[in-house]
């Protein structure tokens, strides 16, 4: 007599290689609210990029530690030079974005000082295509 019952299991298909679509609710960044519309593909990746650029990492408990950036600390340090900040911005932006499996590379950075802020443009290569991103960072530091 066996100590445990003999149970047969059905073979379960391994679908770990299946890539899920990136369907999400669209956010109106001017109002800071969801619109109720659903987006996916390249538009959803673009929204995630802007969310990561506009969210300080570790600040909001509702987001995982993968969401957001760490630009605030570098940009608010008045003892570092603009040259140092310009050198760090690409690294910090890439670290904010590259964790997303849909993004393969963040390249072609162009950074220009505008008063107290930096105008940053760069390319994001995704599995859906390439995004051209422009953002002003550090204006509210």
């Amino acid at each position: 007599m066996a100590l445990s019952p003999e149970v047969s299991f059905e073979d379960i298909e391994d679908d770990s290689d299946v890539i899920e679509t990136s369907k999400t609710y669209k956010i109106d960044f001017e109002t800071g609210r969801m619109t109720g519309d659903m987006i996916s593909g390249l538009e959803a990746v673009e929204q995630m990029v802007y969310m990561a650029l506009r969210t300080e990492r570790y600040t909001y408990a509702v987001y995982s530690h993968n969401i957001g950036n760490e630009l605030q600390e570098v940009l608010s340090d008045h003892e570092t030079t603009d040259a140092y900040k310009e050198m760090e911005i690409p690294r910090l932006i890439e670290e904010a974005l590259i964790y997303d499996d849909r993004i393969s590379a963040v390249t072609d950075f162009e950074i220009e000082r505008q008063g107290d802020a930096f105008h940053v443009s760069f390319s994001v290569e995704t599995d859906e295509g390439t995004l051209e991103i422009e953002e002003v960072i550090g204006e509210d530091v």
Side-chain angles (χ1 to χ4, degrees):
M1 181 169 149
L3 295 177
S4 60
E6 289 186 29
V7 178
S8 61
F9 294 96
E10 294 180 31
D11 287 338
I12 298 173
E13 288 186 34
D14 180 17
D15 60 352
S16 60
D17 292 337
V18 175
I19 298 174
E20 295 292 325
T21 61
S22 55
K23 212 170 207 186
T24 188
Y25 285 100
K26 184 175 183 175
I27 297 172
D28 181 346
F29 285 108
E30 289 183 22
T31 63
R33 297 187 177 271
M34 288 188 273
T35 65
D37 298 330
M38 295 296 287
I39 58 173
S40 64
L42 198 56
E43 190 176 8
V45 176
E46 181 177 28
Q47 178 172 286
M48 187 283 306
V49 168
Y50 282 110
M51 280 289 294
L53 292 175
R54 296 173 183 183
T55 304
E56 188 176 351
R57 192 178 303 218
Y58 311 117
T59 301
Y60 304 100
V62 69
Y63 295 130
S64 79
H65 293 297
N66 290 335
I67 304 295
N69 67 72
E70 298 176 52
L71 290 162
Q72 181 78 17
E73 185 176 330
V74 171
L75 297 176
S76 64
D77 185 354
H78 298 292
E79 301 204 9
T80 60
T81 65
D82 286 348
Y84 177 77
K85 292 175 184 178
E86 288 181 25
M87 179 184 73
E88 283 293 286
I89 287 171
R91 179 184 68 81
L92 293 170
I93 289 175
E94 184 174 5
E95 285 179 2
L97 303 178
I98 205 68
Y99 80 91
D100 192 308
D101 293 338
R102 300 169 295 180
I103 295 175
S104 56
V106 183
T107 61
D108 301 328
F109 280 90
E110 291 183 23
I111 302 169
E112 180 183 321
R113 180 74 176 188
Q114 290 182 341
D116 292 337
F118 291 90
H119 178 269
V120 181
S121 61
F122 55 94
S123 299
V124 178
E125 296 174 24
T126 76
D127 55 1
E128 301 279 339
T130 301
L131 292 167
E132 299 299 324
I133 304 295
E134 288 189 36
E135 183 74 351
V136 176
I137 58 172
E139 61 190 348
D140 55 350
V141 176

